[in-house]
Amino acid sequence: MDSAVIPSDAELMTLAQDVAAAALERRVMVATAESCTGGWIAKTLTDLAGSSAWFEAGVVSYSYSAKEALLGVNPRTLERTGAVSEETVLEMVSGALARYGAGVAVAVTGIAGPSGGTPEKPVGTVWIGWKRRGGYAHARLYHFEGDREAVRRQTVAAALVGMTDELKG
């Protein structure tokens, strides 16, 4: 997804419908593990009527301790790489699958702004990870532009597109 394109609510809903259709077709439950989006991915998915047929669970974990307790992220990973890293998002998505019984999961962690960025990890830096049960976790680094809402909307859209791809792949 082009980082300059800010998806509308209608576009996010269409992406959620794509996830729902793929999950239903494959008879797979989905889970989310969110940091910078604050539950927006889960909200978008569960805005669809009948989502209980394919949506298992959503976790919002901003703090290190929440990532450790709710998703099993290793404290050493957080100390070594920080919350916004490939290693952390891979552990988040793996933990979501292990703990919540879904067949596919997505995890996001990033810096939505307006503060919190550094030269190494500026505002708009987002890691998104996906994993299917029995498969390998993989992640992608994004650099989104815009204000806090724009970064979060782009993150939700990219997460949903990737989840559909993961379900179909």
Side-chain angles (χ1 to χ4, degrees), residues 4 44-45 50 103 116 131:
T44 301
L45 292 170
K131 185 176 181 181

Side-chain angles (χ1 to χ4, degrees), residues 6-143:
I6 311 303
S8 68
D9 288 345
E11 289 167 324
L12 293 179
M13 190 54 55
T14 298
L15 295 174
Q17 289 166 342
D18 293 344
V19 171
L24 284 168
E25 181 179 326
R26 285 152 188 80
R27 298 184 178 141
V28 171
M29 299 296 280
V30 303
T32 63
E34 303 179 61
S35 187
C36 63
T37 48
W40 199 339
I41 299 166
K43 182 225 182 289
T44 301
L45 292 170
T46 60
D47 278 347
L48 297 173
S51 58
S52 60
W54 51 269
F55 186 85
E56 179 73 29
V59 174
V60 177
S61 58
Y62 266 62
S63 71
Y64 279 23
S65 61
K67 286 175 178 63
E68 294 166 19
L70 299 173
L71 298 167
V73 175
N74 189 319
R76 288 183 298 282
T77 300
L78 292 166
E79 291 168 15
R80 191 178 71 252
T81 67
V84 181
S85 67
E86 180 178 22
E87 295 84 352
T88 295
V89 83
L90 291 173
E91 289 187 25
M92 288 173 67
V93 76
S94 295
L97 271 187
R99 292 173 185 241
Y100 301 105
V104 66
V106 61
V108 299
T109 184
I111 304 165
S115 62
T118 67
E120 298 79 29
K121 296 178 185 179
V123 170
T125 301
V126 176
W127 279 99
I128 305 178
W130 302 270
K131 185 176 181 181
R132 281 189 297 189
R133 186 162 302 285
Y136 293 102
H138 58 96
R140 182 171 168 195
L141 174 62
Y142 294 84
H143 295 284

